[in-house]
Amino acid sequence: MGAGHAHRLYRPGRSPVHTLPPHTKLAAALAFVVVVVSTPREAMWAFAGYAVLLACVAYTARVPAGFLLRRLLIEIPFVAFAVLMPFVAEGDHVTFLGMRLSVNGLWGAWNVLAKGTLGVAASVLLASTTELRELLLGLQRLRLPPLLVQIASFMIRYGDVVTDEMRRMRIARASRGFEARGVRHWGVLAKSAGALFIRSYERGERVHLAMLSRGYTGSMPVIDEVTASRAQWSYALALPCAALVVCLLGWTL
């Protein structure tokens, strides 16, 4: 499990969040998202409480607000979908600024935006405080199916290789005077995509044969065994436990 590739989301640091074992952070993030999704959409103040909890985690992990907000731009497609919901949903309608909006659509848009934003923020905080290699070790420690962990490991390891191959193909096309300007050039791009797929497939076959020749039997050896103490589990689960308290209050109020 030696995929030592750094990713853009990760911010090196020695904060208490950075030093937690990866499987504790994965479990905490998953539990937090489950609590957020289980919260009734009408409990608006509960979502504000969740945002405050994530802000506390970001402050503890020393993740700047600007860094977090820039990474949240990945959810723009979901925001666009949510914005359309009040205009296309059925049911009772209200008029606002001359626009006829669906009440169910407004609630649905709020539900998607609130829960989606909190889920993405939790994922960004997890990625910004945990290296990819540690994430894989955490998934392995949580007993995720070994085949899925291996696929993720090879995807991370060879993603840069495939990207570099695609870059060389683009440079080769440009050196021959090719420039995609319209639909008539889509055929060349499609052939390039096909060639990239064949090269990647053949590389995968060669890597697999090389692994078999070195004794691979379907499972990867565990080099680093990560463990967590009771105190570390308690520290990591403080976030979902606090969110659960907020959720329960949201159900009762």
Side-chain angles (χ1 to χ4, degrees):
M1 196 72 66
H5 295 272
H7 58 91
R8 296 179 182 177
L9 288 179
Y10 179 69
R11 289 182 60 86
R14 296 297 301 172
S15 71
V17 180
H18 282 81
T19 55
L20 282 174
H23 55 291
T24 63
K25 289 185 281 187
L26 283 166
L30 177 61
F32 175 80
V33 171
V34 171
V35 172
V36 170
V37 172
S38 303
T39 305
R41 62 187 184 184
E42 294 80 8
M44 294 186 177
W45 68 270
F47 295 104
Y50 298 149
V52 171
L53 291 176
L54 289 180
C56 293
V57 174
Y59 177 79
T60 304
R62 300 181 181 89
V63 177
F67 177 88
L68 181 60
L69 293 176
R70 287 195 300 272
R71 297 309 186 269
L72 288 178
L73 294 178
I74 195 175
E75 67 166 344
I76 286 180
F78 299 97
V79 173
F81 171 75
V83 169
L84 292 176
M85 292 182 67
F87 298 96
V88 299
E90 299 179 352
D92 298 334
H93 287 74
V94 295
T95 301
F96 179 74
L97 297 179
M99 297 181 294
R100 193 166 179 267
L101 305 176
S102 168
V103 176
N104 291 332
L106 289 171
W107 278 117
W110 160 252
N111 195 47
V112 171
L113 285 175
K115 296 181 179 180
T117 301
L118 290 169
V120 172
S123 301
V124 171
L125 287 174
L126 173 64
S128 62
T129 58
T130 314
E131 296 186 54
L132 283 175
R133 178 176 175 275
E134 293 181 348
L135 284 174
L136 294 174
L137 291 173
L139 293 174
Q140 191 176 54
R141 181 67 179 176
L142 292 174
R143 299 294 187 269
L144 197 74
L147 181 59
L148 294 181
V149 178
Q150 291 179 45
I151 291 174
S153 176
F154 285 116
M155 180 184 68
I156 294 170
R157 183 183 298 275
Y158 290 99
D160 293 339
V161 177
V162 175
T163 301
D164 189 61
E165 183 77 23
M166 185 168 57
R167 181 186 62 83
R168 290 196 298 269
M169 294 174 66
R170 178 180 58 81
I171 294 175
R173 291 196 304 268
S175 66
R176 290 165 175 78
F178 175 80
E179 183 178 354
R181 296 179 179 178
V183 179
R184 60 193 181 92
H185 292 131
W186 285 6
V188 176
L189 297 178
K191 292 178 181 178
S192 298
L196 179 63
F197 173 79
I198 293 174
R199 292 181 184 181
S200 301
Y201 183 84
E202 291 177 345
R203 178 180 285 109
E205 288 289 326
R206 292 195 300 271
V207 170
H208 182 249
L209 291 175
M211 291 170 61
L212 292 177
S213 67
R214 289 163 175 79
Y216 175 73
T217 59
S219 61
M220 300 291 287
V222 179
I223 300 175
D224 298 322
E225 183 69 22
V226 292
T227 59
S229 65
R230 183 174 301 178
Q232 289 173 320
W233 272 110
S234 300
Y235 189 79
L237 295 179
L239 173 65
C241 289
L244 181 60
V245 173
V246 174
C247 179
L248 294 176
L249 291 175
W251 278 101
T252 56
L253 297 180

